[in-house]
């Protein structure tokens, strides 16, 4: 997208940038035309091409807020950066090469100090060599980014697995504790039921004994009353 308006003024650094001129093309008529038209045909139309969504880029570069970004995000080679490569091509021991480059930095710094003492006008050559060494170190470190990303992802996944395993173990332990509590409640309920049954049976036995005693007392009273009645009748007969 162009960062300038129709007048040609740059809008990138403006505090309140004006919208691009093609916003005027977003009319109801053009939107309806775009809906009735094929995408390829719309991209060829001088007005509708601003309304149609372009396909995502697969190669090249693009600009965002004034910075250039590559579509394929990959580490550029030292040759593409116009930097002298200070380590051999092919499979290498990066740890050993980083140590060697680190020693080279110290050596180049001593060279820079010597040059500043003897011929300060030649310091730029030493600073360029130091810059090349640091860029090579940085490039070797950046080549570890993919490996670092994989190891970081593995660590994150392992942490998630450990966390879920611990949560599962806590859940199983709590389930076992609940099962034990339920079994204890069942035993207590059974004991309580037995106690209630015993108490009810004892109460019923006491009730039966009381009823039987009352019945016997009632019979004894009735017999006594009948006996007294007969005695009275006998006494009355005698008189």
């Amino acid at each position: 997208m162009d960062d300038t308006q129709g007048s040609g003024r740059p809008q990138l650094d403006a505090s309140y940038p004006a919208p691009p001129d093609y916003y005027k093309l977003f009319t109801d008529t053009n939107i309806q035309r775009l809906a009735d038209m094929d995408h390829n045909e719309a991209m060829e139309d001088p007005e509708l091409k601003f309304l149609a969504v372009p396909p995502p880029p697969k190669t090249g570069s693009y600009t965002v807020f004034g910075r250039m970004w590559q579509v394929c995000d990959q580490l550029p080679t030292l040759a593409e950066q116009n930097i002298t490569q200070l380590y051999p091509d092919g499979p290498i021991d990066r740890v050993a090469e980083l140590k060697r480059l680190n020693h080279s930095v110290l050596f180049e710094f001593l060279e820079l100090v010597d040059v500043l003492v003897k011929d300060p006008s030649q310091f730029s050559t030493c600073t360029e060599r130091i810059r090349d060494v640091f860029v090579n170190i940085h490039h070797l470190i950046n080549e570890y980014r993919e490996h670092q990303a994989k190891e970081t992802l593995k660590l994150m996944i392992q942490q998630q697995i450990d966390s879920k395993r611990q949560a599962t173990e806590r859940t199983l332990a709590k389930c076992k504790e609940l099962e034990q509590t339920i079994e204890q409640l069942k035993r207590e309920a059974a004991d309580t039921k037995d106690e209630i049954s015993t108490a009810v049976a004892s109460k019923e036995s006491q009730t039966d004994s009381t009823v039987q005693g009352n019945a016997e007392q009632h019979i004894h009273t009735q017999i006594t009353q009948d006996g007294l009645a007969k005695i009275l009748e006998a006494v009355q007969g005698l008189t």
Side-chain angles (χ1 to χ4, degrees):
M1 183 172 61
D2 192 3
D3 292 327
T4 60
Q5 203 182 8
S7 60
R9 291 182 303 150
Q11 297 293 315
L12 196 62
D13 299 330
S15 300
Y16 299 98
D21 288 339
Y22 54 78
Y23 83 94
K24 301 176 182 178
L25 301 176
F26 286 79
T27 61
D28 294 338
T29 302
N30 286 341
I31 292 175
Q32 184 61 40
R33 288 178 56 200
L34 179 65
D36 298 336
M37 188 177 296
D38 182 73
H39 183 271
N40 294 330
E41 296 177 357
M43 293 300 294
E44 296 177 357
D45 189 282
E47 293 184 352
L48 298 184
K49 67 179 182 179
F50 293 102
L51 280 70
V53 179
K58 297 181 179 180
T59 58
S61 60
Y62 59 95
T63 304
V64 177
F65 297 110
R67 290 193 61 184
M68 187 72 68
W69 298 86
Q70 297 295 325
V71 174
C72 296
D73 190 10
Q74 60 183 5
L75 181 65
T77 63
L78 292 174
E80 293 174 349
Q81 303 177 62
N82 296 322
I83 301 296
T84 303
Q85 182 170 322
L86 302 178
Y87 54 88
D89 294 326
I92 58 174
D93 185 354
R94 286 178 170 79
V95 175
E97 292 297 331
L98 286 171
K99 290 181 178 180
R100 185 180 63 81
L101 291 173
N102 190 29
H103 294 159
S104 297
V105 171
L106 298 177
F107 176 77
E108 294 295 340
F109 180 75
L110 293 176
E111 287 288 329
L112 175 61
V113 173
D114 186 65
V115 168
L116 290 177
V117 172
K118 296 179 180 180
D119 189 5
S121 62
Q122 302 296 324
F123 80 96
S124 60
T125 303
C126 293
T127 56
E128 286 295 328
R129 290 201 301 266
I130 294 174
R131 173 179 174 273
D132 290 345
V133 174
F134 275 117
V135 172
N136 276 263
I137 293 175
H138 195 265
H139 190 270
L140 279 176
I141 294 174
N142 282 337
E143 288 182 347
Y144 272 117
R145 296 302 182 188
E146 183 178 357
H147 174 72
Q148 179 186 15
K150 292 179 180 179
E151 292 299 322
T152 303
L153 182 59
K154 287 168 60 177
L155 180 61
M156 292 174 59
I157 294 175
Q158 187 62 44
Q159 290 176 347
Q160 293 178 3
I161 293 173
D162 294 341
S163 176
K164 292 179 179 178
R165 182 178 289 113
Q166 293 175 2
T168 302
E169 291 175 354
R170 290 195 299 268
T171 303
L172 293 176
K174 184 60 68 175
C175 290
K176 186 176 181 180
E177 181 180 350
L178 291 174
E179 290 177 356
Q180 293 175 354
T181 303
I182 291 172
E183 291 296 329
Q184 182 179 357
L185 291 174
K186 286 181 179 180
R187 290 192 298 269
E188 292 178 357
D191 295 340
T192 304
K193 182 178 179 182
D194 294 339
E195 292 176 358
I196 293 173
S197 300
T198 303
V200 170
S202 177
K203 189 68 175 178
E204 290 177 351
S205 176
Q206 294 176 0
T207 303
D208 293 341
S209 300
T210 303
V211 171
Q212 183 177 359
N214 292 336
E216 291 177 352
Q217 185 179 1
H218 176 72
I219 294 171
H220 179 71
T221 303
Q222 187 66 34
I223 293 173
T224 303
Q225 290 177 356
D226 292 342
L228 291 174
K230 290 180 180 180
I231 292 171
L232 288 175
E233 288 177 359
V235 171
Q236 289 175 0
L238 293 173
T239 58

